[in-house]
Amino acid sequence: NFMLTQPHSVSESPGKTVIISCTRSSGSIASNYVQWYRQRPGSPPTTVIYENNQRSSGVPDRFSGSVDSSSNSASLTISRLKTEDEADYYCQSYDNSNLVFGGGTKLTVL
Amino acid sequence: QVQLVQSGAEVKKPGASVKISCKASGYTFTSYYIHWVRQAPGQGLEWMGIFNPSGGSTTYAQKFQGRVIMTGDLSTSTVYMDLSDLSSEDTAIYSCARDSPSGSYEIDYWGQGTQVTVSS
């Protein structure tokens, strides 16, 4: 099975833009959809992006997702950062009937 | 509205088994797969497997094969996850989650999570 590698943490200031990467270890990133989930402390995850670049209901257009075959990675971009965006973010994909999560990225907005 | 309501916290001794329930409501139970995901303290999300309420088929992550059983009860729209031979490394929050309408391993709703603590 493959792995999805994310940076352990990122930080940025309010109003700025941050990009969280998710690199697939083997197989093509484009072969299966990538989802992004946000998890705030003490709460279950919620879907932010599904099918690579589709925003989940209620998610503002400050959030966008993309896939880059040349780097075999997916990215979550959050623009015009707000303090409320501070959370853990997980990418997820699947292959051979197995679902795989990235290790998660802690976003700090300071 | 879609809801996945899980059973309460459990404390188990090493070697024991735990069975967690996940009661679904607000949608057609047999139309959506259910995933089980766990999260150890301070760690990331770990996929355990998937259950198809329509027919009862399962796929388990290799790590849990032989130790996990996922079942369902159509009469109560409830899915169960049974994990055996527990060790301290199984201390985690266990969550059920619904697969999306596309049925392509995309989660759209999560249960509230069930804390399982394994301690002697």
Side-chain angles (χ1 to χ4, degrees):
Chain A
N1 234 353
F2 65 93
M3 294 173 54
L4 295 172
T5 300
Q6 301 179 231
H8 182 70
S9 62
V10 295
S11 62
E12 190 50 270
S13 303
K16 301 293 189 180
T17 296
V18 69
I19 300 174
I20 299 173
S21 63
C22 171
T23 302
R24 180 166 171 159
S25 63
S26 61
S28 172
I29 192 73
S31 60
N32 304 98
Y33 285 131
V34 175
Q35 281 64 242
W36 290 90
Y37 304 99
R38 173 174 58 196
Q39 186 178 33
R40 295 191 169 109
S43 296
T46 58
T47 306
V48 177
I49 297 287
Y50 65 98
E51 295 180 0
N52 296 341
N53 55 20
Q54 302 299 302
R55 279 188 300 279
S56 190
S57 176
V59 174
D61 61 5
R62 301 186 296 106
F63 290 78
S64 62
S66 62
V67 168
D68 180 3
S69 295
S70 65
S71 59
N72 213 35
S73 65
S75 295
L76 173 67
T77 301
I78 311 172
S79 59
R80 303 187 301 279
L81 275 169
K82 299 183 177 184
T83 54
E84 67 202 45
D85 297 330
E86 192 163 285
D88 293 328
Y89 290 84
Y90 294 89
C91 61
Q92 174 259 308
S93 191
Y94 62 95
D95 197 9
N96 295 326
S97 298
N98 279 268
L99 187 150
V100 177
F101 288 104
T105 298
K106 182 176 181 61
L107 169 62
T108 301
V109 182
L110 37 64
Chain B
Q1 73 283 21
V2 174
Q3 283 193 306
L4 300 171
V5 179
Q6 299 182 221
S7 49
E10 301 265 12
V11 179
K12 297 291 183 180
K13 293 194 181 302
S17 297
V18 68
K19 190 170 186 176
I20 301 168
S21 67
C22 170
K23 183 173 175 59
S25 62
Y27 70 95
T28 303
F29 178 64
T30 51
S31 296
Y32 297 83
Y33 297 166
I34 293 289
H35 300 270
W36 286 92
V37 177
R38 77 177 187 179
Q39 187 170 31
Q43 302 300 308
L45 303 172
E46 182 175 31
W47 184 74
M48 300 181 69
I50 188 170
F51 175 79
N52 181 359
S54 177
S57 63
T58 55
T59 299
Y60 301 138
Q62 187 171 10
K63 176 177 179 177
F64 299 101
Q65 285 181 6
R67 259 200 334 133
V68 69
I69 299 174
M70 296 175 188
T71 57
D73 183 343
L74 297 182
S75 68
T76 59
S77 299
T78 301
V79 179
Y80 299 91
M81 191 282 297
D82 196 327
L83 186 64
S84 61
D85 194 22
L86 294 169
S87 72
S88 58
E89 295 179 354
D90 294 314
T91 293
I93 296 174
Y94 290 76
S95 298
C96 60
R98 195 187 80 162
D99 202 67
S100 74
S102 64
S104 54
Y105 283 57
E106 305 165 19
I107 292 171
D108 61 359
Y109 288 93
W110 297 73
Q112 84 275 20
T114 296
Q115 175 69 53
V116 174
T117 302
V118 183
S119 174
S120 56

